[in-house]
């Protein structure tokens, strides 16, 4: 019988300074406890490997899920909240414009101008299709939407009754028009405002989600790096080999994953911040300005329809236009921090507002001085210095501002999405490879003890 | 070794699956809105029930004969030659007569949609006064006011006079002066053709509409059958409420009601008149000379057939005799 082979000698690289705890080869120690096995060098290496593996795995999972969530939030902003906010703005603005157009058309004694009639019909159609678009999405305030869709047909019915009575020469028509305008101002427009604000707030919170920082993953990644580096240093001391290729590879891969995460987050956050500053916040500034001028335009027409008893409408005109000008006004808000196109549009709007206000002053002067036909001629005339033309260029400036802001938002959100593109896969792959490198690096060392 | 690698793969796969699931959003269809029913719509400024009318005070104020006005002083000055220092001279200096009118009272003061001008019985009376001052009936500016604004506008001198189906009574005489009576009206009731009411007495507990600040709303509140008064800003708003089935009747002067009935063939006047409503032009009490001047113009119109022509233009022929003037001096 061949005697059992001599026990393998301890590895030559075993450091002398091993404080009394020398490796007891597992093959020898058939009766060793688990605790002894753990305390042995390969046991400690295995423990370190397990711990590091779990931490790197946790880092990888957090990095991947966080990146995927942020990417999906950005997609949600681009595909859902962003477009729904646009629809809410279209709904609000087209109903306001319908109110102003119906009142202006009413002023035209006799036949209603076809251009105003078709503008009114287009506004109602735009409001209707915005309602449909908003209701098929995940809109922020369904109750407001429901209220608008039940009351809008009532409004159009009242406007048509006013037109029919006006055609018959009955003063009753003006009463129905005033009732329609009161319905618009007391119910429909406030609901549209509530809807717009709720939707804009949701857009803002979705944007915040998309721009959120990986505030667990990155510190965890740094801890992982510290762990890997200190493990390599310990191993270098123990095994007298400076470089452990597996661990080194793992460290480089983790640095790569961290870098990917950080750079992608920083770039995406920058773009999403710009999307807010030149995009969604400018849309809000321009569209609230536009609502205010539309309200003022309706007030101008209704003061003339009311023919002397419309003092309340004229006061409202003053209040609405006062919110636009001045350093705290909406036009100033549209200009601060905006891009060049938006600043140009806001500046043009400021000039056109001044021109329109001077036409309005002339209208009031004529009406208050007893020259009602002159006032109406200024209010509905087709000359370049009459109210419709000056108002139209003001409205067009603000409309261009809204378009510029929407374009800026889409552009920046698209850039943010491409910065986040594939980061989750990249992080997953890098961390997966790092896990492999980590395991391989440790196993090589542990195997030397067997 | 291979065991570790397969563990790695399994865990990585789980991680990616978790990430994918986290991105899934729910796509459930939202439920339909509950309780979608039409909310009633009404004109701006409707008060239902009406605020306790101000004329609850002073129905007992006595002032002798309220319709007695100031006698015209001799012959009328020629147009364009008003006595210096008189109210008429200052009106002439302004260049136009400012008159408070209604724009919603069909036949008496309303804006003709075709021409854009305010026309009516009261308007023609006002044109005649402008003609007497300037020689030109069109030197006039109309300010459309609500029933509640008639007295404040005269008192504040925002208008020279008010020609707005205004009943002369002692309460109002405390604040403004009136010309002689230029039309005799009376309060009546307008209901839908299908209504079975025959007068204000049948409308107990039902909603009856009138303009805020008018004598009509006071009369409704005081009626023995206790209808519920509903007030609005303008008379046509009452017709809107009637057409929308939100009130059962409108009660005011028969003149205004005839104008409303002319705009809606589905209505009828019932019950005759149950009050007497003499109409006068409201003028500031400080302008006594202007009151005399206006009374002179009205007297001329009674005698030279102009009143009859205006009546027949708006209210049909044959015209009755014009209401006689009563003077207190």
């Amino acid at each position: 019988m061949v005697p059992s082979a001599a026990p393998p000698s301890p590895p030559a690289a075993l450091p002398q300074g091993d404080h009394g705890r020398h490796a007891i080869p597992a093959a020898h120690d058939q009766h060793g406890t688990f605790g002894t096995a753990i305390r042995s060098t390969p046991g400690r290496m295995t423990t370190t490997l397990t711990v590091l593996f779990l931490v790197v795995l946790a880092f990888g999972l957090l990095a991947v899920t966080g990146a995927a969530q942020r990417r999906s939030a950005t997609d949600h902003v681009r595909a859902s909240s962003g477009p729904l906010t646009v629809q809410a703005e279209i709904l609000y603005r087209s109903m306001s414009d319908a109110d102003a157009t119906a009142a202006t058309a009413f002023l035209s004694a006799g036949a209603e101008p076809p251009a105003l009639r078709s503008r009114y019909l287009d506004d109602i159609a735009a409001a209707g299709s915005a309602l449909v678009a908003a209701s098929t999405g995940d809109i922020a305030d369904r109750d407001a939407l429901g209220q608008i869709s039940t009351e809008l047909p009532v409004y159009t019915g009242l406007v048509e009754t006013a037109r029919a009575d006006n055609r018959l020469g009955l003063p009753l028509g003006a009463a129905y028009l005033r009732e329609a305008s009161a319905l618009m101002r007391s119910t429909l427009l406030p609901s549209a405002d509530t809807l717009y604000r709720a939707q804009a707030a949701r857009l803002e919170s979705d944007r915040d989600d998309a721009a959120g920082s990986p505030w667990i993953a990155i510190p965890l990644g740094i801890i992982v790096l510290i762990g890997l580096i200190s493990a390599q240093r310990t191993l270098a001391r123990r095994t007298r080999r400076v470089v452990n290729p597996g661990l080194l590879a793992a460290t480089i891969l983790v640095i790569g994953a961290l870098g990917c995460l950080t750079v992608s987050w920083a770039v995406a956050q920058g773009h999403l911040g710009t999307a807010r500053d030149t995009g969604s916040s400018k849309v809000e500034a321009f569209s609230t300005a536009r609502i205010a001028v539309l309200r003022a335009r309706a007030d101008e027409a209704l003061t003339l329809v009311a023919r002397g008893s419309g003092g309340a409408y004229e006061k409202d005109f003053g209040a609405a236009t006062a919110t636009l000008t001045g350093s705290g006004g909406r036009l100033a808000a549209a200009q601060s921090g905006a891009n060049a196109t938006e600043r140009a549009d806001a500046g043009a709007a400021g000039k056109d507002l001044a021109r329109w206000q001077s036409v309005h002053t002339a209208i009031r002067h004529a009406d208050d001085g007893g020259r009602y036909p002159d006032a109406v001629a200024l209010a509905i005339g087709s000359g370049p210095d009459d109210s419709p033309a000056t108002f139209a260029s003001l409205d067009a400036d603000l409309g261009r501002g809204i378009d510029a802001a929407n374009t800026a938002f889409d552009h920046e959100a698209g850039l943010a999405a491409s910065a986040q593109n594939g980061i989750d896969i990249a992080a997953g792959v890098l961390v997966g490879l790092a896990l492999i490198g980590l395991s391989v690096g440790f196993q090589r060392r542990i195997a030397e003890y067997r | 070794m291979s065991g570790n690698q397969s563990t790695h793969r399994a865990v990585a796969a789980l991680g990616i699956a978790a990430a994918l699931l986290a991105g899934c959003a729910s796509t459930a269809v939202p439920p339909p809105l509950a309780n979608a029913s039409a909310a009633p719509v009404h004109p701006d400024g409707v008060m239902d029930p009406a605020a306790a009318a101000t004329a609850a005070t002073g129905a007992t104020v006595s002032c002798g004969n309220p319709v007695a006005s100031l006698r015209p002083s001799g012959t009328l000055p020629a147009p364009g030659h008003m006595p210096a220092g008189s109210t008429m001279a200052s009106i002439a200096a302004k260049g136009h007569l400012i008159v408070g009118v209604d724009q919603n009272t069909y036949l008496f003061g309303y804006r003709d949609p075709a021409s854009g001008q305010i026309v009516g019985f009261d308007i023609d009376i006002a044109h005649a006064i402008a003609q007497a001052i300037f020689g030109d009936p069109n030197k006039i500016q109309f300010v459309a006011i609500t029933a509640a604004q008639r007295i404040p506008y005269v008192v504040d001198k925002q208008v020279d006079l008010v020609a707005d189906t205004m009943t002369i009574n002692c309460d109002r005489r405390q604040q403004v002066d009136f010309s002689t009576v230029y039309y005799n009206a009376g309060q009546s009731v307008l209901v839908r053709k299908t209504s079975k009411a025959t007068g204000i007495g049948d409308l107990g507990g039902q909603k009856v509409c009138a303009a805020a600040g008018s004598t009509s709303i006071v009369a409704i509140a005081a009626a023995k059958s206790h209808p519920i008064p509903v007030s609005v800003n303008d008379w046509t708003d009452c017709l809107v409420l009637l057409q929308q089935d939100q009130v059962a009747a409108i009660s005011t002067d028969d003149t205004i009601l005839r104008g409303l009935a002319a705009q809606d063939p589905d209505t009828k006047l019932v019950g005759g008149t149950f009050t007497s409503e003499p109409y006068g032009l409201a003028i500031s009490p400080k302008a006594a000379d202007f009151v005399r001047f206006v009374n002179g113009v009205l007297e001329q119109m009674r005698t030279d057939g102009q009143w009859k022509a205006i009546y027949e233009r708006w209210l049909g022929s044959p015209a009755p005799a014009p209401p006689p003037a009563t003077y207190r001096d």
Side-chain angles (χ1 to χ4, degrees):
Chain A
M1 201 151 168
V2 179
S4 59
S9 57
L14 193 61
Q16 304 303 317
D18 189 22
H19 309 277
R21 286 173 179 263
H22 53 276
I24 300 174
H28 251 295
D29 187 19
Q30 282 141 354
H31 306 292
T33 62
F34 178 69
T36 323
I38 286 294
R39 279 195 292 276
S40 65
T41 305
R44 271 200 307 203
M45 281 189 186
T46 312
T47 317
T48 315
L49 167 64
T50 315
V51 167
L52 276 177
F53 188 90
L54 289 173
V55 174
V56 172
L57 181 66
F59 165 66
L61 285 175
L62 278 172
V64 167
T65 53
Q69 273 175 350
R70 282 190 295 278
R71 174 57 203 272
S72 118
T74 308
D75 286 342
H76 188 258
V77 161
R78 292 176 73 207
S80 173
S81 340
L84 283 175
T85 312
V86 169
Q87 293 304 321
E89 189 269 326
I90 289 175
L91 180 63
Y92 197 172
R93 188 250 307 153
S94 48
M95 290 202 300
S96 270
D97 195 69
D99 185 36
T101 308
T104 312
F106 202 83
L107 267 184
S108 323
E112 176 189 50
L116 282 179
R117 175 69 179 159
S118 61
R119 180 173 172 141
Y120 168 80
L121 291 174
D122 288 342
D123 285 332
I124 298 297
S129 58
L131 273 175
V132 169
S135 64
T136 51
D138 182 25
I139 196 81
D141 190 342
R142 292 196 75 78
D143 290 334
L145 200 62
Q147 193 167 34
I148 294 172
S149 63
T150 49
E151 298 289 335
L152 189 61
V154 177
Y155 170 79
T156 54
L158 291 174
V159 170
E160 295 309 314
T161 310
R163 286 180 71 236
D165 285 333
N166 206 27
R167 274 222 156 95
L168 293 169
L170 306 178
L172 189 58
Y176 274 101
L177 184 73
R178 282 182 287 109
E179 190 182 36
S181 205
L183 175 65
M184 177 60 82
R185 288 166 179 226
S186 67
T187 308
L188 287 165
L189 290 180
S191 293
D193 185 45
T194 308
L195 179 66
Y196 177 73
R197 289 194 191 288
Q199 186 54 39
R202 175 176 289 186
L203 175 66
E204 197 46 33
S205 93
D206 285 347
R207 196 210 59 86
D208 285 342
D209 284 343
S213 67
W215 59 279
I216 300 182
I218 289 184
L220 190 58
I222 292 174
I223 291 172
V224 161
L225 270 182
I226 293 172
L228 281 174
I229 290 171
S230 69
Q232 283 174 89
R233 287 176 55 188
T234 315
L235 273 183
R237 263 201 327 267
R238 293 268 164 85
T239 64
R240 285 271 171 89
R241 266 175 282 185
V242 175
V243 167
N244 182 326
L247 280 177
L248 184 65
T251 313
I252 294 172
L253 287 164
V254 167
I255 291 176
L258 263 180
C260 264
L261 271 185
T262 313
V263 167
S264 131
W265 163 61
V267 171
Q269 194 216 30
H271 283 306
L272 286 169
T274 313
R276 180 194 53 219
D277 295 336
T278 63
S280 49
S281 75
K282 295 297 161 270
V283 168
E284 166 133 12
F286 277 110
S287 63
T288 47
R290 196 177 200 183
I291 301 301
V293 307
L294 282 169
R295 187 182 175 102
R297 173 74 171 143
D299 284 330
E300 180 180 79
L302 286 167
T303 311
L304 290 172
V305 168
R307 216 166 169 183
S309 63
Y313 292 122
E314 180 56 20
K315 259 178 38 187
D316 193 67
F317 179 95
T321 46
T323 60
L324 293 165
T325 49
S327 57
R330 294 194 175 125
L331 286 179
Q335 273 187 312
S336 75
N339 65 31
T341 327
E342 290 161 354
R343 274 202 302 276
D345 291 329
K351 291 203 187 77
D352 283 331
L353 177 66
R355 276 177 61 213
W356 183 54
Q357 276 180 307
S358 68
V359 178
H360 179 79
T361 308
I363 291 175
R364 292 315 318 143
H365 188 63
D367 191 27
D368 295 335
R371 291 169 288 122
Y372 180 82
D374 294 341
V376 172
L378 279 173
I380 60 174
S382 49
D385 291 322
D386 292 334
S387 188
T390 43
F391 177 78
S393 55
L394 171 61
D395 190 51
D397 292 333
L398 293 171
R400 275 200 310 273
I402 293 174
D403 289 339
N406 276 328
T407 310
F409 185 86
D410 287 339
H411 178 67
E412 292 295 327
L415 289 175
S418 37
Q420 289 169 331
N421 222 350
I423 293 298
D424 49 348
I425 296 177
V429 164
L430 287 174
V431 171
L433 291 175
L435 285 172
I436 294 171
L438 169 69
S439 313
V440 163
F442 262 98
Q443 288 292 74
R444 285 249 173 89
R445 295 293 160 264
I446 292 170
E448 289 166 1
Y449 284 82
R450 296 179 198 268
Chain B
M1 290 262 187
S2 62
N4 274 336
Q5 277 182 337
S6 64
T7 317
H8 294 174
R9 281 195 218 108
V11 173
L14 272 176
I16 291 174
L20 285 172
L21 280 173
C24 282
S26 92
T27 49
V29 174
L33 295 159
N35 302 332
S37 63
V41 63
H42 54 72
D44 205 18
V46 168
M47 290 190 59
D48 174 11
T54 51
T57 67
T60 52
V61 171
S62 163
C63 61
N65 186 358
V67 302
S69 183
L70 297 171
R71 191 172 292 275
S73 48
T75 52
L76 276 177
H81 295 94
M82 296 295 118
S86 64
T87 312
M88 294 78 76
S90 58
I91 292 172
K94 255 191 322 203
H96 52 260
L97 177 70
I98 305 179
V99 182
V101 295
D102 195 1
Q103 60 156 355
N104 283 316
T105 310
Y106 200 42
L107 308 176
F108 270 73
Y110 74 102
R111 188 183 144 225
D112 178 15
S115 67
Q117 303 300 315
I118 299 192
V119 295
F121 188 102
D122 285 339
I123 308 306
D124 282 348
I125 303 273
H127 276 303
I129 297 175
Q131 163 90 28
I133 297 178
F134 295 98
D136 178 359
N138 294 318
K139 286 223 159 54
I140 196 164
Q141 180 202 343
F142 293 116
V143 179
I145 55 179
T146 61
Q149 288 169 318
R150 290 178 295 192
I151 291 181
Y153 270 51
V154 169
V155 168
D156 295 340
K157 294 209 164 61
Q158 289 177 278
V159 297
D160 297 318
L161 63 90
V162 164
D164 187 354
T165 59
M166 202 163 173
T167 308
I168 304 171
N169 62 30
C170 283
D171 296 334
R172 292 172 173 173
R173 273 211 175 276
Q174 308 303 308
Q175 293 181 281
V176 298
D177 205 351
F178 285 97
S179 68
T180 49
V181 179
Y182 69 91
Y183 190 91
N184 266 324
Q187 186 157 348
S188 185
V189 177
L190 184 77
V191 294
R192 310 208 51 162
K193 278 227 169 91
T194 51
S195 168
K196 297 197 177 35
T198 56
I200 192 76
D202 295 337
L203 292 167
Q206 299 187 56
K207 297 190 182 178
V208 181
C209 182
S214 61
T215 50
S216 317
I217 195 89
V218 176
I220 295 170
K224 292 193 180 56
S225 53
H226 298 297
I228 302 171
V230 174
S231 72
V232 294
N233 286 341
D234 282 303
W235 292 112
T236 39
D237 291 344
C238 270
L239 187 55
V240 170
L241 286 177
L242 188 67
Q243 290 185 339
Q244 289 177 172
D245 279 326
Q246 289 161 332
V247 295
I250 307 173
S251 180
T252 181
D253 303 347
D254 59 342
T255 48
I256 298 174
L257 291 179
R258 279 168 68 175
L260 294 178
Q263 298 182 63
D264 185 350
D266 185 44
T267 54
K268 60 181 179 184
L269 269 99
V270 294
T273 58
F274 57 92
T275 66
S276 167
E277 308 285 340
Y279 285 168
L281 304 172
I283 299 169
S284 169
K286 301 194 177 86
D289 56 344
F290 190 46
V291 177
R292 295 185 195 278
F293 178 84
V294 167
N295 285 338
V297 177
L298 287 174
E299 191 55 39
Q300 206 172 51
M301 288 169 67
R302 287 187 191 99
T303 51
D304 68 5
Q306 204 180 354
W307 189 95
K308 187 159 172 294
I310 294 174
Y311 187 102
E312 287 179 352
R313 181 179 175 201
W314 296 107
L315 301 169
S317 46
T326 323
Y327 299 113
R328 60 180 187 253
D329 59 353

